[in-house]
Amino acid sequence: PTIKELKAMSADRGKVRIEAQAADGVSSLGVAEFSVSGGPWLMLPAADGLIDARAEKLEADLVANDGPGAPKIEKGRQTVLVRVEDEAGNSATASTFLDVR
């Protein structure tokens, strides 16, 4: 698989949006996850709600530090890592920076 157009934005204090395009030329995608600055891996859902095609737009809107399971995101520059896996078990990763206000 490949990951393209990875973006991580912080529009308002504590609010984060992650977007990416993922594709595989041979098999369907099966899993997409993200991690912020070495935190736990969290599901990165498809825009249509189901990761089941060979190409998917992935997006997540989240509120940092908002209860159990929410990523702990500090102010300043953070690293966002995204990984996708296809149904055959092949994977790809990509990273970008997130400047948190």
Side-chain angles (χ1 to χ4, degrees):
T2 59
I3 301 169
K4 296 181 180 178
E5 299 179 35
L6 174 57
K7 299 177 197 171
M9 301 152 280
S10 177
D12 293 324
R13 185 179 175 103
K15 294 184 180 179
V16 175
R17 179 166 181 84
I18 299 171
E19 298 176 355
Q21 299 283 338
D24 190 282
V26 178
S27 62
S28 297
L29 299 170
V31 177
E33 300 172 304
F34 72 95
S35 173
V36 178
S37 293
W41 287 101
L42 302 170
M43 187 175 101
L44 181 56
D48 66 3
L50 188 61
I51 299 176
D52 62 347
R54 291 191 332 193
E56 294 283 0
K57 179 178 180 180
L58 307 168
E59 58 187 22
D61 290 305
L62 53 127
V63 177
N65 311 320
D66 188 34
K72 304 297 181 206
I73 301 174
E74 304 295 328
K75 282 186 176 182
R77 181 161 269 206
Q78 307 296 318
T79 301
V80 175
L81 185 63
V82 170
R83 68 180 175 193
V84 296
E85 187 175 296
D86 65 16
E87 290 182 338
N90 302 305
S91 64
T93 59
S95 65
T96 190
F97 293 106
L98 170 65
D99 290 314
V100 179
R101 301 175 189 179

